[in-house]
Amino acid sequence: MPSPLKAPFAPDVLRAVADTFGTPTYVYHAPTIRDRIGRLRRHLTGVPVRLLYAMKANSHPAILQIMREEGLGLDAVSPGELLLALRLGVEPDRILFSANNMTDEEMHLAHERGVLLNIGELSRLEKFGRAYPGSAVCVRLNPQVGAGHHEHVVTAGARSKFGIPVEQTDRIRALADAHGLRIVGLHHHIGSGILHTAHFWEAARVLLEAARPFEGLRFINLGGGLGIPYRPDEAPLDLDNFRDALMAPLRSFHAEYGAPALTFWFEPGRYLVGEAGVLLVRVNTLKSANGRTFAGTDSGMGHLVRPAMYGAYHALYNLSNPDGALQPYDVTGNICESGDLFARDRPVQTIREGDILAILDAGAYGMSMASEYNLRPLPAEVLVTEDGPRLIRARRTPEDLADALLATLPRT
Ligand SMILES: Cc1ncc(COP(=O)(O)O)c(C=O)c1O
């Protein structure tokens, strides 16, 4: 028997969205995002906590509005993200700017807009100190403990480009002293898609130890990385265990550090939006060859690159034939790359040409990593709230793409 749709949507809602708005379309479920925020908050207790949303996971302004309404700040990692956050009306003091390989222009932009910088290289810290002596700054450390669902998303440890190695805290303090910088925050983010509390605690222990000699900290930012279960056999992150293993040591640290205003920050992305999103695609070509059945869709790696990039698993559901017998398919995209697959050898309810498939758990690092490779227009986006589905971004057309490119030619 095919399993029920493991998504926050009723199949009818998704079918109606596909009928009304066509495919490919990303659909997001606002109540699920609010639910995840609430769940997390209920488990991050016992010390003052602040939540930032890592907007790279899904930077649609309608999603950012939800985060804002729920009182979250934002983690921005590029001038584009920073400007979007500011232009949405997010107060500068609710944004942390963590650009990697930051340029001088980016540094000036963030500082001049009143946004706190999170700096992960000694050379940038020195440039910041020279430019803005006496300023407040946050420093990103590499606790030398990394984790994640794939090597590409491990953002700490011996091979990582991120953060200042924790052994170099003396040099950080020396630089801060030389320029009168006030280190108000320490940060780490060890990776993404982590489903076991032990990794978080292992790294947090290092960060807390490193934090002790720093006076005047206003916050310690433990990053994001909270995973979601993509595969049917994966257990969700055990938030009770997360609370028990992590919050108690944070409480002790808070008491020992002796600054009641010290706050612990978390900056999740995936956990808040991943399970709230689905990508709807239409199968337009069925093809049997070499003992395989290829189900070719009107979408592809340009729209959801995670399978091609990380070998990531996304559950599939045939909305047009929910009771169909399960059969194995290679579900592919329409991009000219052999890696353009949503799933290989995956049992899916029998697929016919024209069927609509739901690709689940696509709310994080889906549209925000999408491209127009092969000049395929980006999908539409729809937000489902208590009031029903609403188009939040129209699908561009091939004509739009051609027009935009032709407009770059000099006029003759
Ligand atoms: C600095 C920083 N913070 C937070 C996140 C969010 O990670 P996740 O979506 O796994 O929670 C990322 C993701 O790459 C990041 O680089």
Side-chain angles (χ1 to χ4, degrees):
M1 248 321 260
S3 49
L5 176 64
K6 191 217 121 218
F9 303 96
D12 281 352
V13 172
L14 292 178
R15 280 190 282 265
V17 168
D19 284 348
T20 310
F21 302 105
T23 57
T25 296
Y26 272 103
V27 196
Y28 311 121
H29 193 248
T32 297
I33 298 174
R34 295 187 200 274
D35 170 79
R36 294 305 185 271
I37 296 169
R39 274 193 209 179
L40 203 50
R41 283 214 167 109
R42 283 195 298 281
H43 287 85
L44 301 177
T45 52
V47 284
V49 164
R50 182 163 178 189
L51 277 185
L52 308 187
Y53 167 59
M55 58 191 286
K56 66 176 77 64
N58 186 328
S59 47
H60 194 288
I63 305 278
L64 302 182
Q65 292 282 24
I66 295 176
M67 302 301 173
R68 196 166 163 230
E69 284 163 20
E70 295 288 335
L72 276 75
L74 292 178
D75 156 50
V77 293
S78 68
E81 288 194 354
L82 179 64
L83 291 176
L84 177 60
L86 290 169
R87 287 174 64 180
L88 262 172
V90 179
E91 298 78 12
D93 66 356
R94 301 187 70 80
I95 304 172
L96 183 65
F97 185 60
S98 298
N100 187 229
N101 299 335
M102 197 184 293
T103 64
D104 289 349
E105 291 72 21
E106 292 168 4
M107 172 181 82
H108 296 314
L109 172 74
H111 187 75
E112 282 160 17
R113 298 297 181 100
V115 171
L116 187 68
L117 278 77
N118 182 23
I119 293 181
E121 300 85 21
L122 288 171
S123 70
R124 176 53 56 193
L125 190 63
E126 176 153 32
K127 287 176 195 149
F128 181 74
R130 279 213 210 101
Y132 303 109
S135 296
V137 68
C138 174
V139 172
R140 177 172 183 165
L141 293 179
N142 176 353
Q144 306 294 20
V145 176
H149 69 81
H150 186 277
E151 191 192 344
H152 294 351
V153 298
V154 174
T155 52
R159 287 158 58 91
S160 174
K161 66 172 179 165
F162 297 99
I164 300 173
V166 71
E167 306 79 44
Q168 297 182 4
T169 47
D170 286 352
R171 295 179 65 187
I172 296 171
R173 298 214 334 267
L175 271 177
D177 288 346
H179 300 285
L181 291 176
R182 288 174 290 121
I183 297 184
V184 295
L186 289 180
H187 167 267
H188 76 196
H189 169 73
I190 63 167
S192 194
I194 305 167
L195 286 169
H196 300 289
T197 299
H199 298 299
F200 291 105
W201 170 230
E202 233 183 294
R205 200 164 45 195
V206 177
L207 185 62
L208 294 182
E209 211 36 58
R212 284 184 199 283
F214 285 85
E215 284 169 19
L217 289 177
R218 294 203 319 251
F219 66 89
I220 293 180
N221 183 337
L222 296 155
L226 291 81
I228 58 170
Y230 287 97
R231 295 176 180 273
D233 57 354
E234 266 172 346
L237 179 68
D238 181 344
L239 279 184
D240 288 336
N241 181 245
F242 187 85
R243 177 194 55 213
D244 296 343
L246 200 64
M247 298 317 280
L250 295 191
R251 247 192 325 274
S252 312
F253 181 89
H254 190 258
E256 285 162 27
Y257 189 73
L262 181 80
T263 305
F264 293 93
W265 292 13
F266 294 86
E267 50 185 26
R270 185 190 313 273
Y271 181 80
L272 301 182
V273 294
E275 291 168 297
V278 161
L279 174 61
L280 299 179
V281 303
R282 186 181 293 273
V283 175
N284 49 40
T285 309
L286 273 180
K287 170 170 167 176
S288 294
N290 302 317
R292 325 186 72 84
T293 305
F294 295 94
T297 67
D298 61 359
S299 179
M301 62 189 284
H303 296 167
L304 180 64
V305 74
R306 299 191 68 258
M309 191 157 167
Y310 309 124
Y313 181 103
H314 284 266
L316 299 176
Y317 186 88
N318 187 348
L319 287 164
S320 307
N321 193 16
D323 300 322
L326 293 178
Q327 299 194 41
Y329 293 94
D330 286 1
V331 180
T332 75
N334 53 10
I335 297 297
C336 299
E337 298 268 343
S338 295
D340 179 29
L341 284 168
F342 289 123
R344 176 83 85 188
D345 266 332
R346 178 77 63 78
V348 184
Q349 301 107 314
T350 305
I351 300 177
R352 294 87 38 103
E353 288 189 355
D355 281 359
I356 305 289
L357 303 185
I359 304 179
L360 308 190
D361 303 317
Y365 306 106
M367 189 64 164
S368 62
M369 291 179 82
S371 77
E372 291 174 336
Y373 181 43
N374 282 196
L375 291 192
R376 296 275 186 189
L378 295 176
E381 289 177 288
V382 166
L383 182 69
V384 177
T385 66
E386 284 80 0
D387 299 330
R390 172 166 62 92
L391 184 68
I392 54 171
R393 172 151 41 171
R395 190 176 310 104
R396 293 221 288 169
T397 65
E399 285 75 16
D400 293 335
L401 300 188
D403 286 349
L405 284 170
L406 288 169
T408 64
L409 288 177
R411 286 181 194 279
T412 49

